[in-house]
């Protein structure tokens, strides 16, 4: 769901004296009004910030002993970093399998053979329409129950495996749609040119469409990987030891500092996601400049495939 | 060998009433979050496009923070932090309290996505439209009302639909905040009857009944309203 901030092309941004869609370049009166508005807004925001901080300090949330654990090396080496490792491991493994699934089902859905494209489409739409969490629950509880009815005993599925399976199925089907729209975004003339010089369908796909589509869809793929990373936090619910479990279960369990701990953990997530987002934006700028691909670059916003029923109505945002 | 259990839809029939109640919990949360995040998201979007740098910065900061934080963390913060530590009580009744805490967390998170969709919609309106409106002498409110917003709202329908579909699916995470909805009910049935395929399929279909029509509705609406440009 994450959309990268690619819309603020400098010209669009309502900077001080430039006109925007909504506001004309301000004259003297408008400037005065804007300055007054700025002042009022600043006061209101400061009051809101004060109320928040007052509430927190009234509940003794700024006491040193609640924040002190985060200055200790052992809290980082024993809890936060292993937690972060767990998050990155699950995200990394799931990302690899999701990309694989995305390629297979994305290409499958583009197939000319109905017996391949229809089932591929059904799988993709099914997994995109249901919540990730119930897939994770089923990945954990399903296999033992199913094997049980065959009279076999299966050890319970580990949290890691359940999380990876769920993340793979969900993000894999979203990626499949990204791949499909990436291939579809290439002008028809490209494949026609390929056919006209006698290439086969597979050759056109592999040598003409896929290389160009990869450039175009990279930003959208990275955006989806940010979503995947954020979704690993669901591991908390099935007791997988990830960053969120470390920050909201283990550390507060030891020090009773749930609010400071939640804030620190949130900051870590935000930094990682913003870094990944920057990679996406950079890739997008690069592929926009590049003349190697004839496809329109899919941004995080446009690249996200529309949900079922939305058809091709995705607007050019 | 017990193949019977593989296709045993009995548990779904036995607990039909409870399941419906659980899905009602999902729908209730989704409705309140939908309305709340629409209002809050609109305010945020207005802040982000305002001519006031302070408001723009505050709006951007909000979006950056909450869009990049996992929803699970926000919901846990609502239940463990706001409720248990800061003693924020919305209602004396624990069930109602849990509902509103989950709704607050969901709204805080979803509003940042609604804001971004709306802002992107405003940005789709070519600047020439606004310039044309000004040049024929329309006032600020007239050009906003008659020219810019009607076009922006149309461009926003499809992305907003995607945001809302994701939001409906995200209501499942409210079980982390202790709110009882459909996924909590499924977990409970998995614990009682084992993780059988029929139970999973039953709940998956339940969610598809909620998400697919939402998608078709927004898709239909956005095609109907599409601006020919």
């Amino acid at each position: 769901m994450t959309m990268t901030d690619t819309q603020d092309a400098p010209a669009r941004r309502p900077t001080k004296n430039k006109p925007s869609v909504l506001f004309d370049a301000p004259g003297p009166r408008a400037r005065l009004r804007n300055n007054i508005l700025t002042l009022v807004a600043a006061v209101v925001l400061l009051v809101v910030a004060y109320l928040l901080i007052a509430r927190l300090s009234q509940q003794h949330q700024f006491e040193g002993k609640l924040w002190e654990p985060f200055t200790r090396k052992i809290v980082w080496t024993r809890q936060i970093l292993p937690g972060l490792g767990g998050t990155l491991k699950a995200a990394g493994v799931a990302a690899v399998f999701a990309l694989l699934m995305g390629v297979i089902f994305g290409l499958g859905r583009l197939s000319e053979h109905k017996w391949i494209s229809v089932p591929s489409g059904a799988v993709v739409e099914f997994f995109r329409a249901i919540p990730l969490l119930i897939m994770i629950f089923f990945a954990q509880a399903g296999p033992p129950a199913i094997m049980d009815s065959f009279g076999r005993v299966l050890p319970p599925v580990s949290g890691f495996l359940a999380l990876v399976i769920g993340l793979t199925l969900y993000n894999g089907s979203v990626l499949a749609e990204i791949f499909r729209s990436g291939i579809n975004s290439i002008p028809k003339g490209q494949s026609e040119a390929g056919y006209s010089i006698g290439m086969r369908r597979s050759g056109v796909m592999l040598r003409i469409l896929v290389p160009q589509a990869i450039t175009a869809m990279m930003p959208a793929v990275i955006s989806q990987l940010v979503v995947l990373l954020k979704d690993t936090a669901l591991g908390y619910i099935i007791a997988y030891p990830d960053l969120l479990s470390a920050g909201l279960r283990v550390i507060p369990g030891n020090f009773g500092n749930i609010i400071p701990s939640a804030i620190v953990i949130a900051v870590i997530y935000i930094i990682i996601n913003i870094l990944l987002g920057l990679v996406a934006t950079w890739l997008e700028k690069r592929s926009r400049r590049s003349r190697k691909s004839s496809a329109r670059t899919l941004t995080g916003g446009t690249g996200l495939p529309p949900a079922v029923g939305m058809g091709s109505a995705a607007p050019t945002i | 060998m017990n193949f019977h259990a593989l296709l045993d839809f009995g548990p779904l029939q036995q607990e039909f009433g409870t399941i419906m109640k659980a899905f009602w919990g999902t729908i209730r949360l989704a409705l309140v979050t939908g309305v709340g995040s629409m209002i809050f998201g609109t305010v945020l979007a207005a802040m982000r496009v305002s001519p006031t740098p302070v408001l723009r910065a505050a709006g951007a900061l909000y979006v950056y923070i909450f869009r990049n934080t996992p929803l699970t963390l926000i919901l846990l913060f609502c239940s463990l932090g706001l409720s248990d530590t800061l003693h924020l009580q919305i209602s004396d009744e624990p069930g109602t309290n849990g509902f509103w805490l989950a709704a607050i967390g969901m709204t805080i998170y979803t509003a940042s996505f609604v804001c971004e969709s709306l802002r992107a919609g405003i940005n789709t309106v070519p600047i020439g439209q606004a310039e044309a409106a000004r040049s024929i002498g329309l006032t600020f409110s007239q050009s906003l009302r008659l020219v810019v917003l009607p076009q922006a709202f149309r461009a926003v329908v499809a992305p907003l639909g995607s945001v809302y579909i994701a939001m409906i699916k995200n209501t499942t995470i409210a079980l982390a905040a202790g709110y009882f909805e459909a996924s909590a009910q499924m977990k409970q049935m998995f614990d009682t009857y084992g993780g059988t395929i029929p139970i999973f399929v039953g709940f998956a279909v339940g969610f598809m009944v909620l998400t697919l029509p939402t998608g078709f509705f927004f898709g239909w609406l956005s095609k109907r309203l599409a601006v020919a440009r």
Side-chain angles (χ1 to χ4, degrees):
Chain A
M1 276 304 325
T2 301
M3 298 171 195
T4 37
D5 249 30
T6 49
Q7 272 77 40
D8 358 358
R12 279 285 165 81
R13 189 161 248 189
T15 43
K16 207 160 191 185
N17 288 316
K18 277 199 192 125
S20 69
V21 174
L22 298 178
F23 302 98
D24 208 346
R29 253 168 59 201
R31 267 208 293 276
L32 180 67
R33 206 178 52 220
N34 284 351
N35 288 344
I36 294 173
L37 206 63
T38 305
L39 196 69
V40 173
V43 170
V44 170
L45 290 172
L46 284 177
V47 168
V48 170
Y50 171 76
L51 286 177
L52 275 177
I53 291 170
R55 178 88 193 180
L56 285 172
S57 100
Q58 185 200 343
Q59 302 284 346
H60 315 291
Q61 291 303 320
F62 288 116
E63 283 178 12
K65 70 176 194 315
L66 295 184
W67 293 85
E68 184 268 331
F70 295 104
T71 60
R72 284 190 221 165
K73 201 175 155 203
I74 193 162
V75 171
W76 286 88
T77 53
R78 288 277 169 81
Q79 269 127 24
I80 296 179
L81 291 180
L84 184 60
T87 290
L88 293 178
K89 194 174 84 173
V93 175
V96 170
F97 284 111
L99 284 168
L100 207 66
M101 176 177 166
V103 170
I104 293 170
F105 282 86
L107 293 181
R109 213 177 171 184
L110 286 165
S111 165
E112 276 175 333
H113 305 288
K114 276 261 182 301
W115 58 273
I116 299 179
S117 68
V118 171
S120 305
V123 167
V124 166
E125 295 302 348
F126 175 77
F127 286 119
R128 271 181 350 124
I130 64 174
L132 174 54
L133 188 60
I134 75 169
M135 279 181 248
I136 294 177
F137 282 160
F138 185 61
Q140 194 167 41
I146 293 164
M147 289 319 281
D148 187 47
S149 40
F150 288 107
R152 301 251 177 88
V153 180
L154 204 72
V157 179
S158 71
F160 174 75
L161 198 60
L163 189 61
V164 166
I165 293 173
L167 287 170
T168 300
L169 292 177
Y170 178 72
N171 293 287
S173 35
V174 176
L175 286 171
E177 281 299 272
I178 292 178
F179 288 140
R180 193 170 70 112
S181 53
I183 301 266
N184 280 339
S185 73
I186 293 165
K188 219 174 159 209
Q190 294 287 323
S191 52
E192 284 168 353
Y195 290 127
S196 74
I197 56 168
M199 288 174 103
R200 287 162 196 241
R201 193 173 157 74
S202 59
V204 167
M205 187 60 95
L206 288 178
R207 297 179 157 206
I208 295 181
L209 297 181
V210 170
Q212 297 189 58
I214 286 177
T215 329
M217 69 204 173
M218 219 45 214
V221 170
I222 303 268
S223 295
Q224 190 57 36
L225 294 183
V226 173
V227 175
L228 190 153
L229 184 78
K230 227 169 55 169
D231 281 345
T232 54
L234 291 173
Y236 176 93
I237 296 172
I238 55 165
Y240 171 67
D242 69 340
L243 181 58
L244 195 62
S245 299
L248 274 91
R249 197 177 273 137
V250 183
I251 296 175
N254 289 333
F255 304 103
N257 57 350
I258 183 90
I259 289 180
S261 186
I263 293 173
V264 171
I265 297 300
V267 168
I268 298 177
Y269 272 111
I270 291 169
I271 290 174
I272 297 174
N273 286 331
I274 286 183
L275 286 180
L276 274 172
L278 287 179
V279 173
T281 314
W282 175 74
L283 276 174
E284 195 192 324
K285 276 198 188 125
R286 218 181 62 147
S287 77
R288 253 189 225 291
R289 272 204 315 271
S290 145
R291 294 258 170 270
K292 283 180 196 152
S293 171
S294 54
R296 195 168 49 84
T297 301
L298 302 171
T299 66
T302 46
L304 289 180
V308 189
M310 310 287 249
S312 54
T316 45
I317 46 174
Chain B
M1 291 291 214
N2 179 16
F3 290 118
H4 179 65
L6 264 186
L7 294 168
D8 182 14
F9 282 88
L12 286 177
Q13 285 162 7
Q14 282 162 33
E15 304 219 11
F16 189 75
T18 339
I19 295 172
M20 284 300 121
K21 229 181 253 167
F23 269 108
W24 172 236
T26 298
I27 295 169
R28 220 160 51 115
L29 183 59
L31 285 177
V32 171
T33 306
V35 173
S37 59
M38 189 71 218
I39 297 170
F40 193 27
T42 310
V43 172
L44 283 171
M47 282 168 71
R48 286 207 72 177
V49 297
S50 74
T52 316
V54 178
L55 285 179
R56 278 211 305 276
L61 185 70
Y62 180 94
V63 170
Y64 263 100
I65 291 178
F66 289 103
R67 217 179 45 172
N68 288 313
T69 310
L71 177 59
T72 322
L73 196 158
I74 296 174
L75 286 167
L76 285 170
F77 187 84
C78 284
S79 72
L80 302 176
L82 290 186
S83 172
D84 298 356
T85 314
L86 297 182
H87 307 296
L88 181 79
Q89 286 284 336
I90 295 151
S91 162
D92 291 332
E93 217 249 309
T96 322
N97 202 33
F99 171 76
W100 285 107
L101 284 171
I104 289 173
M106 292 283 302
T107 302
I108 286 175
Y109 180 78
T110 313
S112 64
F113 290 95
V114 171
C115 163
E116 285 306 272
S117 314
L118 293 178
R119 196 175 67 102
I122 289 172
N123 280 342
T124 56
V125 181
I127 199 161
Q129 295 283 324
E131 285 166 354
R134 282 173 208 139
S135 73
I136 58 166
L138 295 188
T139 63
F140 172 69
S141 86
Q142 278 173 328
S143 82
L144 208 62
R145 228 162 7 99
L146 301 173
V147 180
V148 178
L149 287 187
Q151 296 185 50
F153 272 124
R154 289 161 182 224
V156 143
V157 172
L160 212 55
S162 304
V163 168
Y164 276 146
I165 289 168
M167 184 270 286
I168 293 173
K169 291 189 286 181
N170 281 340
T171 54
T172 50
I173 305 176
L175 101 149
Y179 177 64
F180 192 82
E181 41 61 69
S183 72
Q185 169 69 19
M186 189 184 89
K187 181 92 178 77
Q188 216 169 66
M189 287 177 72
F190 273 3
D191 293 343
T192 319
Y193 303 98
T196 64
I197 297 174
I199 296 178
F200 172 67
V201 169
F203 278 90
V205 168
F207 276 105
M208 285 163 86
V209 166
L210 297 180
T211 54
L212 295 187
T214 312
F216 286 123
F217 170 72
F218 277 99
W220 169 80
L221 199 65
S222 74
K223 272 196 200 102
R224 214 186 121 91
L225 297 178
V227 192
R229 213 178 260 149

